[in-house]
Amino acid sequence: MDGELMTPREMSGLLTHGDTPIVPKRSIAGRALVAVVAIMTFLASLTTGAVMLVRASASEWQSEVAREVTIQVRPVQGRDLEADVARASEIARAYPGIVDVRPFSKDESARLIEPWLGSGLSLDDLPVPRMIVLKLQDGSVELAPLRKTLSERVGAATLDDHRGWIERMHTMAQSTIAGGIVVLVLMLAATVLSVTFATQGAMATNRPIVEVLHFIGAKSGFIARQFERHFLVLGLEGGVIGGGAAILLFGIAGLIANLSIGTASGDQITALFGTFSLSLSGYIAILAQIVLIAVVTAVASRRTVNRTLDFVD
């Protein structure tokens, strides 16, 4: 009896040279699975790209804010505000690590509060503080001695290093990245479930063939590989469609953003998202995601087939 059984290699040869594989290459369920994987990959790629854009923009904001600090000189009764501004500017210019000192004029300082008070108002009677903007050589300049010197020599001056703003931006970026990871995990879970149901449907449709192959000596690994190969191709096809659409969308969005530079809306978008174009690492991440989803599709189908074959006597 054993001599009449076909080995997996012989059956593989028959499947290679035959016309009909265990799982039909094109079926309604297969096309539906490709569509589902394409949609999942597209949404996952959009999430990945958006997370990387926000992360890059937040990193750029933090870098810019960390290289800039401000001195606020408040008007105090009995003190000369202009002299205090000049003294604070002189102290800042002599401090190592500061490459530029720009004191705001009275009109420039008044314009800073126009968004809250409106324009056309007389601010002469209001105690409007004067701002001095300092550009640092890098974000590692120690500012504690400068803050102490200002408080001792210019009592009305305070130094703001925007540390609280930097921490809030860092928290926002980390929260966005964490949210993106959660969305990607949910996308992969939905893809696994879709592949599992599709594999179970394919197994139910082809169960008589699978049982015959199993009873004549085909090992579970051989049958599982046929399904795995089939669903790997479907997953890769859906991933390429969805990921390619996302890459095309980001490319078009980056081109439009570059063309709109100089306009009010374009400058606002650039301030929020940079040039709105993915870096090379972003496109590599999307390509890796396509491969990952195809592999997840194949592995999920193989596990489903193996569990199904365990119930075949």
Side-chain angles (χ1 to χ4, degrees), residues 237-256:
E237 181 179 351
V240 168
I241 294 173
I247 290 175
L248 181 62
L249 180 62
F250 279 115
I252 294 175
L255 179 61
I256 294 175

Side-chain angles (χ1 to χ4, degrees), residues 253 256-276:
I256 294 175
N258 290 332
L259 293 177
S260 63
I261 292 178
T263 64
S265 59
D267 291 342
Q268 186 175 8
I269 292 175
T270 301
L272 291 174
F273 300 103
T275 58
F276 206 81

Side-chain angles (χ1 to χ4, degrees), residues 122-140:
S122 177
L123 303 178
D124 294 337
D125 297 331
L126 294 178
V128 179
R130 297 284 293 278
M131 305 297 294
I132 305 174
V133 179
L134 312 179
K135 295 289 185 180
L136 306 181
Q137 186 174 4
D138 53 57
S140 62

Side-chain angles (χ1 to χ4, degrees), residues 149-225:
T149 302
L150 287 172
S151 63
E152 292 174 350
R153 298 181 56 184
V154 187
T158 56
L159 181 68
D160 183 7
D161 59 1
H162 314 299
R163 189 177 304 277
W165 174 243
I166 293 175
E167 292 178 354
R168 284 194 295 270
M169 287 199 313
H170 179 72
T171 302
M172 180 198 70
Q174 295 299 319
S175 300
T176 302
I177 294 172
I181 293 175
V182 171
V183 171
L184 290 178
V185 172
L186 292 176
M187 293 291 180
L188 288 176
T191 303
V192 170
L193 290 176
S194 300
V195 173
T196 300
F197 291 138
T199 308
Q200 289 175 347
M203 284 290 294
T205 303
N206 301 276
R207 187 179 183 89
I209 299 175
V210 172
E211 289 180 348
V212 170
L213 290 174
H214 184 70
F215 290 144
I216 66 175
K219 295 183 178 180
S220 299
F222 167 76
I223 300 175
R225 281 195 299 272

